[in-house]
Amino acid sequence: MAQATVQHESSSVVSSSEIKGVIFDLDGTLVSSGLDFSIIKAQVGCPHEQDLLTYIDNLPSPYMRQEAMHIVHQHELMDAQAAELLPGVRDCLETLIDMSIPMAIVTRNYTKAAELKVRHCDIPIATMITRDDAPAKPDPTALLHIAKLWHFNAKNCIYVGDYLYDIQAAHNASMRACLYAPECVPAYASEAQFVMHHFSELPRLILSTQ
């Protein structure tokens, strides 16, 4: 398996700094997800081109926000019950544990569904921040909280995710972004420092910075 692809050169300071901690997205990165956002948006009245959570936050009344979020929660809970660990994740996480690399999860999912996925898939990561705990990505608050918790400079952390918001959140936190793209590589992949096609690449990527 080829090593993770470097999409563009970082500054000499960033490229030479050691990766000491790894933060993961959850849905589509560590576990499978069948959430159909086009259906969810249609049910809550969100225009296709708008961000779902932002749309709900901006609804004019608490009742409307509550009703819309209830619909989202129902979809997330159903999705959580069907979630499965993605290929290579188990071996990768065990290797990172052996390497004494601290790990955390930052997800736009809500806590109950996220905890169900972690428990159901037996993911050995204790630290997780959901949208109930901090502003949703691409806001960097959750990522910066994790770095502070670990007493690491943000540049010594890498955020691994499968979507544009993950890349943007990493950049907003001054962390390196690793896009997980097992099949099709999207156009926005060029915005990430690394593109990973299989989880076996991640430990090698970390070792290359040490």
Side-chain angles (χ1 to χ4, degrees):
M1 189 67 63
Q3 291 188 1
T5 304
V6 180
Q7 289 293 354
H8 57 78
E9 292 297 326
S10 305
S11 68
S12 59
V13 174
V14 173
S15 62
S16 63
S17 63
E18 179 181 359
I19 294 175
K20 297 180 179 179
V22 181
I23 308 172
F24 294 99
D25 172 46
L26 183 61
D27 292 355
T29 300
L30 296 179
V31 302
S32 62
S33 177
L35 286 172
D36 190 329
F37 287 99
S38 62
I39 291 177
I40 300 173
K41 287 183 177 182
Q43 290 179 348
V44 303
C46 175
H48 176 73
E49 68 279 3
Q50 287 191 26
D51 175 68
L52 176 64
L53 297 180
T54 302
Y55 171 80
I56 294 175
D57 284 343
N58 291 329
L59 287 173
S61 75
Y63 174 78
M64 294 175 68
R65 292 192 291 272
Q66 183 179 1
E67 288 298 300
M69 194 56 72
H70 176 71
I71 292 172
V72 176
H73 286 172
Q74 293 305 112
H75 281 274
E76 289 177 324
L77 286 173
M78 287 189 294
D79 186 57
Q81 294 170 9
E84 297 181 351
L85 209 62
L86 290 177
V89 170
R90 176 76 59 201
D91 289 344
C92 175
L93 299 185
E94 290 177 354
T95 299
L96 295 185
I97 290 171
D98 290 341
M99 293 167 61
S100 298
I101 299 294
M103 295 179 285
I105 295 170
V106 170
T107 174
R108 280 170 60 98
N109 215 316
Y110 94 112
T111 300
K112 187 175 180 180
E115 288 179 344
L116 181 59
K117 289 184 177 185
V118 168
R119 185 168 62 252
H120 175 71
C121 296
D122 192 26
I123 297 174
I125 299 177
T127 302
M128 178 167 65
I129 296 179
T130 73
R131 69 168 183 263
D132 296 327
D133 307 310
K137 300 173 292 183
D139 187 288
T141 301
L143 300 186
L144 292 172
H145 177 79
I146 296 296
K148 184 177 181 180
L149 181 68
W150 289 338
H151 302 288
F152 291 164
N153 190 302
K155 71 180 182 181
N156 294 120
C157 301
I158 189 169
Y159 187 52
V160 181
D162 68 315
Y163 187 59
L164 176 61
Y165 288 161
D166 303 314
I167 298 173
Q168 292 173 337
H171 289 171
N172 290 340
S174 297
M175 294 182 182
R176 278 167 285 186
C178 179
L179 179 69
Y180 175 55
E183 298 175 358
C184 299
V185 178
Y188 55 76
S190 61
E191 299 181 33
Q193 278 84 2
F194 307 100
V195 174
M196 182 177 73
H197 305 290
H198 190 276
F199 269 87
S200 62
E201 301 166 23
L202 186 57
R204 294 199 297 267
L205 169 60
I206 294 171
L207 285 171
S208 73
T209 71
Q210 297 176 348

